[in-house]
Amino acid sequence: MTAATPSLPVEPFTAYLQRRGASATALTAGEVVTATIGLLRGCRSAHRTDEGATWWLTAHGRPVVVSDAGAPDVVSTTADGLDRLAALTPDRATRDLVSRAGQAVATRSPREWEAMERRLFAHADPEPLVLGPLTPRATIEPPVVAPASLAGGVFDALDTGLLDDVQRSLSRLRDGWLTSSRIRAAVIGGALAVVLVVAAVVLLPGGRGSAPSSAPTATASATTSVVPHPSATSSWPVDERVPLSDDATDVARTLFAQISRCGSDLACRGALEEPSTFRRESLLPDAEHADISLLEDFGGVIVVRVADATRSQYVTLVRFNDRWLVRAVETVADQPS
């Protein structure tokens, strides 16, 4: 599994949430939308969902998936990250949306996540994540320590035996430096390696000759992240074969007619139903001839209302492997007009 962006990951997402939770800068609804959509898109575009993975942030605040053999799979990691994000979200409406997104990741197919993305964009305009500086909630003045007593204070806290071991190790290192060219080379090489790593982390994410980022900033003094755009620029392909809203009723009517032709053949009916735990009542008699109207079209999932002279039902259909299946059927109390 590889990250979908060339920027280097610089901080675990959970570590950022801990920093943000301890700061006086509360998450805005726009920031939460940015982070939630970033996790949804990244999880959906992951090449493998059965490998261990963790979420990191790039220097621009973009969530990226990083392989981690000791971590849960990317779906579980994403659901956990959304739960943590929801716990830090101040306003209830945004928090509920993030919680529903976490539940959708854990229990629904990735195609259905697009509907959640549209709800998030409708709820608030995405804003860049404030990465820093983050002022702590309460500032605690550190104790003033005299320079002369600093070293003594540190070593007084050490066990006497441990202090002797440290002193012996320092003596051996000093003697080796004076007598061994191999030790000197190793120390110098290690120092150069540290310098190169620090330079890579500091320079590469914003360098490489790339043009300056045009992403909006939250404040003039804060480090912020890039923001996502609506699904027209999503990183995953959209199934253009999904019918438009005015064709959804024809899809439902055709499927109901196929089910009706099955008669009492349970195997035939089962082939036209999604294997799921959603509530599924029996369709209205002659549902294909009933009054059918579209309620919602989520792309790969549509919800229609089926009504006759006595009652009405909400029927959810899902697209699976180039065909439509019945997911849920539920009788509703309202009567057709």
Side-chain angles (χ1 to χ4, degrees), residues 29-30 32-34 36-37 40-41 91 93-105 108-126 229-231 236 295-299 301-303 316 327:
V32 174
V33 167
T34 294
T36 303
I37 292 176
L40 289 174
R41 291 184 176 181
D91 68 286
T94 308
R95 182 168 61 249
D96 289 346
L97 277 177
V98 180
S99 296
R100 291 170 61 187
Q103 294 171 2
V105 168
R108 304 293 181 89
S109 64
R111 187 179 297 278
E112 298 178 57
W113 303 350
E114 291 183 35
M116 180 56 63
E117 181 179 329
R118 287 196 290 271
R119 292 192 186 100
L120 288 163
F121 277 119
H123 175 70
D125 292 330
H229 300 285
S231 55
W236 62 81
L295 296 180
E296 289 189 273
D297 185 347
F298 298 135
V301 178
I302 58 178
V303 181
T316 303
R327 163 168 289 178

Side-chain angles (χ1 to χ4, degrees), residues 139 146 301 314:
T139 303
V301 178
Y314 288 165

Side-chain angles (χ1 to χ4, degrees), residues 35-194:
T36 303
I37 292 176
L39 264 63
L40 289 174
R41 291 184 176 181
C43 183
R44 176 162 182 160
S45 61
H47 299 299
R48 294 282 301 275
T49 59
D50 57 345
E51 294 181 349
T54 55
W55 279 103
W56 285 63
L57 290 180
T58 68
H60 295 154
R62 188 190 307 276
V64 292
V65 179
V66 177
S67 296
D68 184 351
D73 61 87
V74 66
V75 173
S76 300
T77 299
T78 302
D80 178 71
L82 290 171
D83 288 343
R84 293 172 183 263
L85 179 62
L88 289 180
T89 303
D91 68 286
R92 181 175 180 178
T94 308
R95 182 168 61 249
D96 289 346
L97 277 177
V98 180
S99 296
R100 291 170 61 187
Q103 294 171 2
V105 168
T107 62
R108 304 293 181 89
S109 64
R111 187 179 297 278
E112 298 178 57
W113 303 350
E114 291 183 35
M116 180 56 63
E117 181 179 329
R118 287 196 290 271
R119 292 192 186 100
L120 288 163
F121 277 119
H123 175 70
D125 292 330
E127 299 174 356
L129 292 175
V130 176
L131 304 177
L134 296 174
T135 306
R137 285 192 183 130
T139 303
I140 302 177
E141 293 295 333
V144 178
V145 180
S149 63
L150 180 60
V154 172
F155 285 104
D156 286 344
L158 297 177
D159 179 81
T160 303
L162 178 60
L163 179 58
D164 292 339
D165 292 338
V166 171
Q167 290 175 337
R168 283 194 296 271
S169 298
L170 292 175
S171 298
R172 286 195 297 269
L173 179 60
R174 180 191 58 198
D175 295 339
W177 176 267
L178 297 175
T179 60
S180 173
S181 60
R182 181 176 299 175
I183 291 179
R184 288 196 297 271
V187 174
I188 294 172
L192 289 176
V194 171

Side-chain angles (χ1 to χ4, degrees), residues 212-285:
S213 171
S214 60
T217 56
T219 62
S221 61
T223 304
T224 57
S225 70
V226 295
V227 299
H229 300 285
S231 55
T233 57
S234 298
S235 59
W236 62 81
V238 177
D239 191 348
E240 300 295 343
R241 294 170 298 179
V242 173
L244 299 176
S245 297
D246 54 356
D247 295 330
T249 56
D250 294 334
V251 169
R253 203 175 298 278
T254 300
L255 181 56
F256 297 160
Q258 293 175 340
I259 294 174
S260 179
R261 287 193 293 270
C262 288
S264 59
D265 188 341
L266 297 181
C268 177
R269 287 175 173 266
L272 300 172
E273 298 174 343
E274 181 193 38
S276 66
T277 58
F278 290 96
R279 183 175 182 180
R280 188 159 49 232
E281 303 174 6
S282 298
L283 283 168
L284 292 176

